[in-house]
Amino acid sequence: MNWITNYVRPKINSMLGRREVPENLWIKCPETGEMVFHRDLEENKWVIPQSGFHMKMPAKARLKDLFDGGIYETLPQPKVAQDPLKFRDSKKYVDRLRDSRAKTELEDTIVAGLGLVQGVKLVAVVHEFNFIGGSLGMAAGEAIVKAFERAIAEKCPLVIFPASGGARMQEGILSLMQLPRTTVAVNMLKEAGLPYIVVLTNPTTGGVTASYAMLGDIHIAEPGAEIGFAGKRVIEQTLREKLPEGFQTSEYLLEHGMVDMVVKRHDIPATIARVLQILMKKPAEAAKREAGSDVATLPLAARA
């Protein structure tokens, strides 16, 4: 404990009437070091204005930005067993869950919604990276499966935005079981003849990459996103070779045929709508006409 920082300074500030300034008012660009005021960053969809660097975007903010007017129905979070392995490392798993829930105001890493994107009805699933690194556990796996089932019931496409470090180690084999479960859910959607689009965000790694993140009909990636299974350092140590510049970035994967397109965040809603209209063989005008009836039948929408 730093005695001066934790005791003396607060005492002096209270005597002089100084107010503590929040530490997150200014955000530093990892690429250029530019400082950006947090409200300016939020208004620009968490993209650094000058450098164009794509920061991590909160799950609820992404859903609000994606759906028309920010209106969508939030899909319920399924109930699963909490800490089935009674896991503990430097901290109890139940304590990590409690801290992450307090930090993000979410039950787990997955947030899903049903709504319209430029008139096209779809289910969107988003990882919240700030919840234990967006890791895939039982709750996340069940939420993803339920989202696919809802898309099949609604006869509409599903779009997923992975941002994850992979399987959640605190749940062991139960976490790894979510890989085949989500893969089966993807196949169910495809058997129903419905499109599945993956928007790869930074980072998408580990077991998430090894399952549903690489099974889309179309793979879109945000600029500069890190996408891969094992980390760059692990691969270099295993192969004992220096990897190419930009390895595992969106642009590198596009060049080598692993993703279909790299799209800036501002253009993602329009790109998704256009791709889905093509995949579902719906002219733009037809999609707009259907949107009117969908709005009437859509359940009471929730605002993010």
Side-chain angles (χ1 to χ4, degrees):
M1 177 180 290
N2 189 322
W3 182 72
I4 294 177
T5 302
N6 296 331
Y7 182 77
V8 176
R9 185 178 295 172
K11 277 286 186 182
I12 294 173
N13 287 342
S14 63
M15 290 170 61
L16 299 177
R18 294 178 183 173
R19 296 174 61 186
E20 289 290 333
V21 178
E23 295 181 358
N24 59 348
L25 288 181
W26 293 87
I27 311 297
K28 185 178 181 179
C29 174
E31 210 169 60
T32 64
E34 175 191 359
M35 300 299 291
V36 183
F37 190 55
H38 72 106
R39 288 182 183 171
D40 295 335
L41 188 64
E42 292 174 13
E43 290 174 1
N44 203 41
K45 303 184 181 183
W46 279 264
V47 177
I48 303 293
Q50 297 300 322
S51 67
F53 185 87
H54 285 52
M55 304 288 286
K56 294 178 181 66
M57 190 175 188
K60 288 184 178 180
R62 191 178 288 276
L63 287 178
K64 186 176 180 180
D65 175 66
L66 176 68
F67 288 116
D68 297 347
I71 300 173
Y72 61 93
E73 176 196 351
T74 302
L75 303 190
Q77 178 70 44
K79 299 296 182 183
V80 298
Q82 301 291 310
D83 192 17
L85 303 181
K86 307 300 180 187
F87 192 93
R88 178 172 186 165
D89 43 50
S90 59
K91 183 189 288 189
K92 290 182 179 179
Y93 179 40
V94 288
D95 293 338
R96 291 189 186 277
L97 288 173
R98 185 186 65 245
D99 294 346
S100 292
R101 285 167 181 160
K103 179 181 177 182
T104 63
E105 299 181 350
L106 298 174
E107 277 298 306
D108 210 270
T109 185
I110 292 296
V111 182
L114 170 68
L116 304 174
V117 177
Q118 298 196 2
V120 179
K121 183 168 74 169
L122 58 82
V123 170
V125 179
V126 184
H127 278 253
E128 175 54 73
F129 189 79
N130 286 326
F131 196 106
I132 315 184
S135 51
L136 178 66
M138 293 173 61
E142 187 67 17
I144 292 170
V145 170
K146 292 296 182 184
F148 273 99
E149 291 176 349
R150 182 62 182 273
I152 294 168
E154 296 284 342
K155 298 181 180 178
C156 69
L158 186 141
V159 180
I160 194 164
F161 295 80
S164 175
R168 190 172 295 173
M169 69 171 191
Q170 291 90 344
E171 296 185 14
I173 189 65
L174 298 173
S175 173
L176 295 177
M177 286 171 61
Q178 307 313 309
L179 277 65
R181 291 188 72 237
T182 52
T183 300
V184 169
V186 171
N187 288 333
M188 288 170 57
L189 187 77
K190 293 186 176 183
E191 287 174 3
L194 298 167
Y196 172 47
I197 292 181
V198 180
V199 182
L200 299 160
T201 70
N202 184 45
T204 302
T205 59
V208 170
T209 306
S211 54
Y212 55 87
M214 286 296 174
L215 296 176
D217 298 310
I218 299 290
H219 290 95
I220 301 170
E222 290 189 335
E226 180 183 351
I227 305 163
F229 180 69
K232 185 176 180 179
R233 185 177 60 184
V234 173
I235 297 172
E236 286 184 332
Q237 290 175 348
T238 303
L239 299 179
R240 298 180 182 178
E241 292 182 9
K242 186 71 176 176
L243 294 171
E245 188 67 29
F247 183 74
Q248 291 186 326
T249 62
S250 302
E251 293 74 15
Y252 186 91
L253 268 63
L254 176 65
E255 185 180 340
H256 290 79
M258 289 294 290
V259 301
D260 297 299
M261 60 185 86
V262 176
V263 180
K264 293 179 180 178
R265 187 171 291 163
H266 292 74
D267 301 326
I268 283 178
T271 301
I272 289 173
R274 185 169 66 251
V275 169
L276 288 176
Q277 287 163 4
I278 294 170
L279 292 178
M280 300 180 75
K281 300 178 181 179
K282 289 184 177 181
E285 290 302 318
K288 288 179 182 178
R289 286 197 300 271
E290 284 191 12
S293 60
D294 284 336
V295 169
T297 58
L298 204 64
L300 185 60
R303 290 187 178 273

